[in-house]
C-alpha cells in the first residue's frame, strides 16, 4: 500500500502494476522479460523497489524506464527503508544489506556473515532498528524474534521460538507478531524493551 494509502503496488503476470485503493485505474509500471516480484514503496511514494531476476531494481510510481542495479544479488526479500535506501537479503535468506540507491553502495546489516537465516524484517517507525525472525545458529536457544540496531548492529533476542514480526506500533514501543507456536495460533504484540507479550487475537482452528 502506498504511503498516502491511495494505491496498491503488486506483482501480476511477471510485472509490477499499480492500482487505486478502490480497485479502479490499474496501470502497468514495468514491461520486463525477467519476472518482477516483491514491490515496495519508497516512503515519499515516488518510487517502487522490486526484484527482477536476481537483481534489485526500482521504477517511478508513475511508470517509465526502470533502474536495474546490476551488481546486487538478491534472495527473496526487499523493502524500502528511507527515501534513498533499500533493504534486501542475500540468497538463501541470509544476511540483509542496506543499499543506497543513489551511491549504489551496499553495507551489511550484521557484520558477521555466518548468521544462519533471517526472514520477515520490519523497520521501526523511527528508523532506528529492525525486528526480524532469526534462526541464528540452528540452535533453539537462538531462534526467535530479534531486534537489530541500525546504529551499531547490536542484536537482542526479544522472544524465543517461532514468532514472526508483522509490524511496529507507531511509537516504536511494540512489535506486532504472529505466534505459530500456540494452538490455536495467535496475533500478539511484544514489548520492544522487555519482551513481554499480550495476545491481540486468537486465530480460529
Amino acid at each position: 500500500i502506498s504511503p498516502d494509502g491511495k494505491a496498491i503496488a503488486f506483482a501480476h503476470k511477471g510485472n509490477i502494476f499499480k492500482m487505486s485503493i478502490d480497485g479502479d485505474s490499474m496501470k502497468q509500471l514495468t514491461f520486463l522479460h525477467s519476472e518482477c516480484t516483491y514491490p515496495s514503496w519508497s516512503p515519499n511514494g515516488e518510487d517502487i523497489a522490486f526484484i527482477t531476476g536476481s537483481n534489485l531494481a526500482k521504477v517511478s510510481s508513475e511508470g517509465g524506464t526502470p533502474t536495474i542495479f546490476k551488481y546486487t544479488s538478491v534472495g527473496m526479500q526487499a523493502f524500502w527503508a528511507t527515501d534513498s535506501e533499500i533493504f534486501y537479503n542475500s540468497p538463501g535468506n541470509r544476511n540483509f544489506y542496506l543499499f543506497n540507491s543513489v551511491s549504489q553502495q551496499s553495507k551489511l546489516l550484521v557484520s558477521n556473515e555466518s548468521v544462519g537465516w533471517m526472514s520477515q524484517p520490519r523497520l521501526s517507525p523511527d528508523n532506528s532498528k529492525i525486528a526480524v525472525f532469526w534462526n541464528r545458529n540452528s540452535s533453539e536457544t537462538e531462534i526467535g524474534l530479534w531486534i537489530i540496531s541500525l546504529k551499531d548492529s547490536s542484536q537482542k533476542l526479544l522472544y524465543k521460538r517461532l514468532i514472526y514480526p508483522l509490524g511496529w506500533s507507531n511509537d516504536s514501543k511494540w512489535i506486532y507478531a504472529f505466534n505459530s507456536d500456540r494452538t490455536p495460533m495467535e496475533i500478539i504484540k511484544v514489548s520492544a524493551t522487555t519482551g513481554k507479550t499480550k495476545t491481540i487475537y486468537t486465530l480460529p482452528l
Side-chain angles (χ1 to χ4, degrees), residues 140-145 157-163 181:
E140 288 191 6
T141 61
E142 295 195 319
I143 295 175
L145 176 63
L157 177 58
L158 198 63
Y159 197 92
K160 295 181 182 179
R161 307 301 291 251
L162 303 179
I163 308 296
D181 259 351

Side-chain angles (χ1 to χ4, degrees), residues 26 43 52 69 81 86 94 110 127 146 148 167:
M26 187 167 75
T52 181
F69 303 109
I86 307 165
R94 293 282 176 173
V110 179
N127 292 331
W146 289 74
I148 302 173

Side-chain angles (χ1 to χ4, degrees), residues 74-86:
V74 185
M76 296 179 63
Q77 300 175 79
F79 67 100
W80 221 289
T82 67
D83 287 337
S84 62
E85 295 176 312
I86 307 165

Side-chain angles (χ1 to χ4, degrees), residues 142-192:
E142 295 195 319
I143 295 175
L145 176 63
W146 289 74
I147 290 180
I148 302 173
S149 169
L150 297 182
K151 295 178 181 179
D152 58 12
S153 292
S154 60
Q155 305 126 40
K156 177 182 179 181
L157 177 58
L158 198 63
Y159 197 92
K160 295 181 182 179
R161 307 301 291 251
L162 303 179
I163 308 296
Y164 301 92
L166 300 172
W168 291 75
S169 62
N170 290 334
D171 59 9
S172 298
K173 293 182 178 180
W174 295 90
I175 300 164
Y176 297 98
F178 175 61
N179 182 4
S180 64
D181 259 351
R182 291 283 182 89
T183 303
M185 292 180 282
E186 299 174 330
I187 304 298
I188 62 174
K189 66 176 185 178
V190 186
S191 168

Side-chain angles (χ1 to χ4, degrees), residues 32 34 50 52 55-58 66-72 104:
L32 299 176
S34 57
F50 61 97
T52 181
N55 297 122
L56 188 64
K58 72 172 184 175
T67 301
I68 299 175
F69 303 109
K70 296 182 179 179
Y71 299 106
T72 54
Q104 299 194 24

Side-chain angles (χ1 to χ4, degrees), residues 25 27 58 64 80 101 142 145 198-199:
S25 316
K27 180 179 181 179
K58 72 172 184 175
W80 221 289
S101 62
E142 295 195 319
L145 176 63
K198 293 182 180 180
T199 299

